Amino acid sequence: MHNYQIYINGQWRDSASGNSFDSLNPYTGESWASIPRCNAADVEAAVDAANTAFESEAWRSLTATARGKMVKRFGQVLLDNAEKLAAIEVRDNGKLYSEVLNQCRYMTEWFEYFGGLADKVEGTVPPIDKPKVLNYTRYEPLGVCACITPWNSPLLLLVWKLAPALAAGNTVVIKPSEYTSASTLELAKLSELAGFPPGVINVVTGYSSEVGEPLVSHKKVRKIAFTGGEEGGRQVNISAASDFKKVTLELGGKSANIVFDDADLDQAVDGAISGIFAASGQTCIAGSRLLLQDTIHDEFLERLVDMSSIAKLGDPMSEDTQIAPIANELQYKKILKYIDIAKTEGAKCVLGGGSATVEGNHEGLFVLPTIFSDVDNSMRIAQEEVFGPVLSVIRFKDEDEAVSIANDIDYGLAAGVWTKSLNRAVNVSERLQAGTVWVNTYRSTSYTSPFGGYKSSGLGRENGQQAIKEYLQVKSIWLHTGESTKNPYARR
Ligand code: NAD
């Protein structure tokens, strides 16, 4: 059993109440770590430390170049420790080690990219329509930023926030998911090697009502970067609005993966599988609605079922495992509930449709790769995010119908289009209401390309050059270079 502590003002400590809770390994069912159960007193201490650090000479007086170098150094330290971080994350959320290791190695690029941007965010000198005036603008950091993360990719999604927030000169209070706090606390430990002054990075752990809500409503927090579900996002947005805090919200999805009859069907079957069964479907960008043109519907479905039925469920640390367990019991039960809902609604279960056990393992929270055909887009199984390995297959006739079904939903995070026609690829992509559209590929993201949702899938964007601006505010400075004004009542 590993006893973790929280990180406030460069110091490791227990929660103010002294309480803790256990973190469970979803493959073995074992409690493997004890995590501090924080409350509003810990949030107060962490925000206070972050606010003091924000105003400190040690942080404020760093040039943008020096700050950028520190951010890059952090990325290098994380890369050096990628294997260790990945193993800890897998113990907490049960995701495939191979995927998590790739993410942990890739994280360094966010620090390189945003560290490099730190001294390239330039203000302007607007040509002012008045004589004897010099006006210039500069981008300034916001202050204390709260970074709130979910359990499915805790470190990567934290890094999407942390790298631009720090590069912009802010300080942060991080609240990881109550299911997966350990890897974030390990990351905080590694931040010490990069040389950040105390209080620049702080981590509090615990439940949303006891830690998340006090953090979001704290007066000294100026920005909230939240990744999580729609309901949590709504509450965060409402709370932030009352204090005019800035927010970025990366929320859920029910993305349409659309296969036209002129597509390379082998590629498209791969893309459909990667869209829904990678990470056991526990990704916000899951292509959980597969739209098939009626001319290829039956053939495609048969191939998809054949390939998916041989997916290997097993130990997330094994290289040959393809489907890992579900990350926690609440999510496991939710997925099974949605499978029942789909059956009740009249969808036809053509693969899976329940829980699974793996030889030699009795505790793992496994769900079979599940495919429902004959789904109508108005069904709950088509409209609500399951966040598990459950695919809804919907039939369409032509381009117009495909676009209309794809857009007929509150979410708008991502979409996939499979076609060999360039015209169709461009036309359909432009008509889809989604923040990301992949053509003849699926599930690609990069630090260089903006990511975020339309409609109920979120607000603001992470990644790409403009992401750093989500952590900055612009100031306009006016210098009068002429003689003093004669009439103080006249407009200047
Ligand atoms: P969640 O909303 O339950 O929790 C996310 C985080 O927010 C946790 O740390 C939680 O404690 C905290 N939280 C929840 N409600 C809060 C509140 N009112 N105030 C402050 N903090 C609060 O989500 P989850 O179950 O951890 O993650 C799964 C969800 O995340 C899915 O809906 C998924 O689609 C979404 N997600 C989105 C993206 C994206 O980039 N768009 C990426 C990954 C996951």
Side-chain angles (χ1 to χ4, degrees), residues 400-434:
D400 282 346
E401 196 186 13
V403 171
S404 152
I405 294 171
N407 289 342
D408 182 16
I409 194 148
D410 287 341
Y411 289 115
L413 192 60
V417 179
W418 299 86
T419 176
K420 285 190 194 138
S421 155
L422 183 60
N423 290 357
R424 173 174 273 167
V426 173
N427 292 333
V428 173
S429 301
E430 292 186 358
R431 291 174 68 193
L432 290 171
Q433 295 163 359

Side-chain angles (χ1 to χ4, degrees), residues 107 115 120 301 318:
M107 282 172 349
K120 293 167 195 70
L301 190 57
S318 296

Side-chain angles (χ1 to χ4, degrees), residues 208-219:
S208 49
S209 57
E210 295 171 356
V211 184
E213 290 174 21
L215 178 59
V216 166
S217 60
H218 198 295
K219 288 266 180 221

Side-chain angles (χ1 to χ4, degrees), residues 148-152 157 160 175-178 206-208 212-213 216 226-230 232-233 235-236 250-253 283-284 385 387 413 451 457 462:
I148 301 179
T149 52
W151 45 260
N152 64 325
L157 297 171
W160 288 15
K175 193 215 106 43
S177 165
E178 47 274 41
Y207 299 100
S208 49
E213 290 174 21
V216 166
F226 174 93
T227 298
E230 188 187 341
Q235 293 309 321
V236 167
E250 297 292 357
L251 309 179
T283 84
C284 52
E385 186 186 47
F387 219 59
L413 192 60
F451 179 83
S457 290
E462 296 192 306

Side-chain angles (χ1 to χ4, degrees), residues 60-112:
R60 278 201 98 106
S61 67
L62 282 179
T63 62
T65 308
R67 203 171 56 235
K69 283 185 179 168
M70 201 176 276
V71 168
K72 287 183 185 182
R73 201 152 56 232
F74 191 12
Q76 185 57 48
V77 172
L78 295 181
L79 182 62
D80 295 343
N81 289 274
E83 285 81 3
K84 180 183 171 189
L85 289 169
I88 286 168
E89 188 147 298
V90 172
R91 214 171 293 157
D92 249 354
N93 77 355
K95 221 166 167 173
L96 291 182
Y97 177 71
S98 52
E99 165 149 0
V100 178
L101 180 60
N102 272 339
Q103 286 186 349
C104 287
R105 287 183 175 147
Y106 195 23
M107 282 172 349
T108 191
E109 302 295 346
W110 269 260
F111 292 94
E112 273 293 315

